[in-house]
Amino acid sequence: MALYDRPSINSALRDSEEEEGPESGETQPLLSTEEGSAQCCSARFNLAFLMFLGFCMVYALRVNLSVVMVAMVNGTVTQPIGNSSQAEVCPKHSSPEGNSTNKGPPGVPQYDWSSETQGVILSSFFYGYILTQVVGGYVSDRFGGKLFLGLGVLCTAVLTLLTPLAASLGVPYLIALRAAEGVGEGVSFPAMNAMWARWAPPLERSRLVTFSAAGVSFGTFVALPLTGFLCQSLGWPSVFYIFGAAGCVWSVFWFTLVSDEPRSHPRISKSELNYITDSIGSQGSAQGWSVPALSMLGSLPLWSIVVAHFSANWSYYTLLTTLPTYMDQVLRFNIKENGFLSALPYLCCFPVGLLSGVLADFLQERRLLSTTAVRKIFTVSGMVFPAVFLVATAFIGCDYRWAVAFLTVSSALSGIISAGFSMNHLDIAPRYAGILLGITNSFGTIPGIAAPTVVGYLTAQHSLSGWRLVFFISAGINVFGALFYCVCGTGQLQSWAREEQRPGEGHKDRWAGDC
């Protein structure tokens, strides 16, 4: 594995360096962070903070249904047991609230939905989410991400307000509404990448992107227990009204305070503007109408991100959409406890993600490790270690204390990938960062569609053996993705992503990956 193999983003590889190999292709970055270190009131930090709040809203709007589903479904409906033994279902445990099954005030509607139906409803968001990934990345790279990220959250928030109405009309209407919400949110991550390609200096990239994306964990942590509280005190419809209104308020601040690029920001200082533009150079410019599609299709480093993204998202979406169900059906927590304990893993994931970004930048600034080495170490650590604790969860049975502990540690360690493959798009092709994330996140959305449905079928009998298989599958997919990325990934700027290419250059490093 090369110790330092990525050139500065604003300097092209020399022909001789390309011929000698990746180790010789590394040049000293043009500017150090001391010349323009991120201050708390800088324009790029303010952008990161608003993005952080935005992704808090994105995931609050996305995950609330996972807990609300427990309150929406009539728990007195008898589920089929089939050939499973009743002994496989965990007994109730003592808790401070006496295992209260209160799911809200009287008069709140409940529905007789089977486990399979619940799985389809939970996965329906991703039916629409997958449709706008590549398109969102393309238009964000071309025109800037401000409009598309803002509209995506605003449209999702408005649709969230209509969720109780859709549920009352029937399952098909709720599925269609959730799919429409997915269409709105599908542009969010590609738009974020497109904006940071123009805003993030290379040596601050890890911390700025991980701080922005940390809103995912923090928003999930806040949303899940708040959802449980609102369901029990005000009824589950209140969740959608309050979260939807909050998303609309955030959109007003976003459209008022944010600019697509430093040059168009009305309040940025001259020194910060010069630091950002000089650090990023021409690679921060908008792409043209055409993209090197064939070179992308044949790029092994890009496919390594695809595989890692798919694999990590399988376990992530498995827990995100079905952990409240596991807490309810297997560990037997009431809805208020359910919301808090389901959120606990994301509280721990939040600081891990932030620290990973800071550590990754430190290792690169001090030239202790190359970009390639950093991305691979953080990816493997953030996928293999969580898999170990998922397997451990499968073996502890009904011990709810260890189950919560293992799932919390597993999710917390997965935050390490924030400085791994998650931002590798900005390394290999910053000019196309939006569309590349759209491509990889399209594949990463497939687990969001498949995992809840698979879990619904595997756990239809509410048995420990079904959930055991769920954890085994997630762990195995995680390990495979980590190994594939370790073999095929790279942190080098790809030749097809440079602003100016010589004839045939786009194919030269098509299969360039290293260990």
Side-chain angles (χ1 to χ4, degrees):
M1 182 182 291
L3 283 183
Y4 207 86
D5 56 51
R6 180 173 61 84
S8 170
I9 195 171
N10 51 333
S11 62
L13 287 173
R14 298 186 298 271
D15 288 345
S16 60
E17 291 171 334
E18 293 175 358
E19 293 171 359
E20 292 172 6
E23 286 81 358
S24 61
E26 187 68 39
T27 61
Q28 178 69 25
L30 181 63
L31 296 175
S32 66
T33 52
E34 284 78 5
E35 297 178 56
S37 58
Q39 303 296 324
C40 63
C41 295
S42 66
R44 61 192 185 279
F45 179 85
N46 293 338
L47 173 62
F49 181 68
L50 275 173
M51 276 194 183
F52 170 83
L53 295 179
F55 282 102
C56 285
M57 289 310 314
V58 164
Y59 265 70
L61 296 171
R62 183 185 304 193
V63 307
N64 52 31
L65 187 61
S66 300
V67 174
V68 170
M69 184 69 72
V70 177
M72 294 176 74
V73 174
N74 186 351
T76 62
V77 176
T78 302
Q79 295 289 346
I81 300 298
N83 295 326
S84 296
S85 170
Q86 286 278 11
E88 288 190 283
V89 180
C90 296
K92 289 185 178 180
H93 56 83
S94 60
S95 71
E97 299 189 26
N99 288 287
S100 168
T101 58
N102 177 25
K103 294 188 176 184
V108 176
Q110 289 187 315
Y111 305 99
D112 299 337
W113 294 335
S114 66
S115 295
E116 292 86 349
T117 300
Q118 294 175 52
V120 172
I121 293 173
L122 289 172
S123 65
S124 60
F125 173 92
F126 301 97
Y127 301 163
Y129 189 69
I130 198 172
L131 297 178
T132 49
Q133 295 290 324
V134 176
V135 174
Y138 178 80
V139 295
S140 295
D141 281 339
R142 183 69 179 88
F143 300 107
K146 171 186 173 180
L147 176 64
F148 301 102
L149 178 54
L151 282 179
V153 176
L154 178 61
C155 292
T156 305
V158 171
L159 290 171
T160 298
L161 296 170
L162 303 175
T163 303
L165 174 62
S168 67
L169 295 175
V171 172
Y173 293 93
L174 182 57
I175 289 175
L177 181 79
R178 290 289 293 179
E181 290 180 14
V183 170
E185 283 199 8
V187 302
S188 55
F189 282 100
M192 178 194 75
N193 253 25
M195 292 191 71
W196 281 128
R198 305 178 187 187
W199 273 95
L203 294 181
E204 296 179 11
R205 184 175 291 158
S206 294
R207 75 194 77 168
L208 288 171
V209 176
T210 53
F211 178 74
S212 303
V216 169
S217 299
F218 190 77
T220 303
F221 164 70
V222 172
L224 291 178
L226 181 59
T227 297
F229 172 78
L230 291 173
C231 285
Q232 195 169 48
S233 57
L234 301 177
W236 64 260
S238 65
V239 174
F240 300 108
Y241 299 140
I242 292 173
F243 284 22
C248 294
V249 171
W250 174 87
S251 300
V252 174
F253 285 97
W254 176 260
F255 286 119
T256 303
L257 300 175
V258 168
S259 298
D260 274 313
E261 57 185 3
R263 290 184 179 87
S264 62
H265 196 289
R267 294 172 297 278
I268 191 172
S269 67
K270 184 176 181 180
S271 60
E272 183 182 7
L273 174 62
N274 291 337
Y275 170 64
I276 294 174
T277 54
D278 291 345
S279 297
I280 296 176
S282 61
Q283 293 296 336
S285 60
Q287 66 173 47
W289 285 105
S290 61
V291 296
L294 291 179
S295 296
M296 290 180 179
L297 184 63
S299 174
L300 191 57
L302 177 58
W303 280 107
S304 71
I305 303 175
V306 168
V307 173
H309 205 150
F310 176 94
S311 302
N313 274 14
W314 185 278
S315 58
Y316 180 78
Y317 284 136
T318 295
L319 296 182
L320 184 70
T321 58
T322 64
L323 186 56
T325 302
Y326 175 73
M327 295 283 187
D328 176 56
Q329 294 179 356
V330 177
L331 302 185
R332 312 295 289 275
F333 289 107
N334 66 50
I335 192 167
K336 188 179 290 187
E337 296 171 321
N338 192 330
F340 174 75
L341 293 174
S342 296
L344 189 59
Y346 303 100
L347 172 63
C348 298
C349 185
F350 171 65
V352 172
L354 292 179
L355 292 174
S356 296
V358 173
L359 179 58
D361 278 344
F362 173 81
L363 293 172
Q364 291 178 265
E365 288 171 10
R366 299 300 177 92
R367 300 180 66 86
L368 299 175
L369 291 173
S370 68
T371 301
T372 297
V374 167
R375 298 295 179 244
K376 290 184 177 183
I377 290 172
F378 280 76
T379 297
V380 172
S381 300
M383 296 179 73
V384 174
F385 292 146
V388 171
F389 285 94
L390 285 176
V391 172
T393 305
F395 284 109
I396 52 86
C398 294
D399 190 330
Y400 63 90
R401 294 182 182 87
W402 281 109
V404 172
F406 286 159
L407 290 173
T408 298
V409 173
S410 178
S411 295
L413 292 176
S414 69
I416 298 173
I417 63 173
S418 299
F421 75 85
S422 296
M423 62 178 57
N424 199 197
H425 318 75
L426 288 163
D427 300 319
I428 66 172
R431 295 186 66 235
Y432 304 105
I435 192 170
L436 290 191
L437 183 57
I439 292 170
T440 64
N441 210 24
S442 293
F443 286 93
T445 302
I446 295 174
I449 298 173
T453 304
V454 170
V455 172
Y457 281 100
L458 291 177
T459 63
Q461 312 302 327
H462 296 187
S463 65
L464 281 173
S465 60
W467 282 101
R468 198 171 291 128
L469 188 56
V470 168
F471 294 132
F472 286 154
I473 292 173
S474 297
I477 293 175
N478 246 26
V479 172
F480 171 77
L483 294 177
F484 190 93
Y485 183 83
C486 184
V487 172
C488 304
T490 184
Q492 288 184 273
L493 176 67
Q494 300 297 286
S495 61
W496 48 264
R498 296 174 199 144
E499 185 179 20
E500 295 181 2
Q501 293 185 25
R502 291 183 293 274
E505 190 179 37
H507 300 279
K508 189 169 185 177
D509 57 2
R510 173 180 291 185
W511 302 105
D514 53 42
C515 293

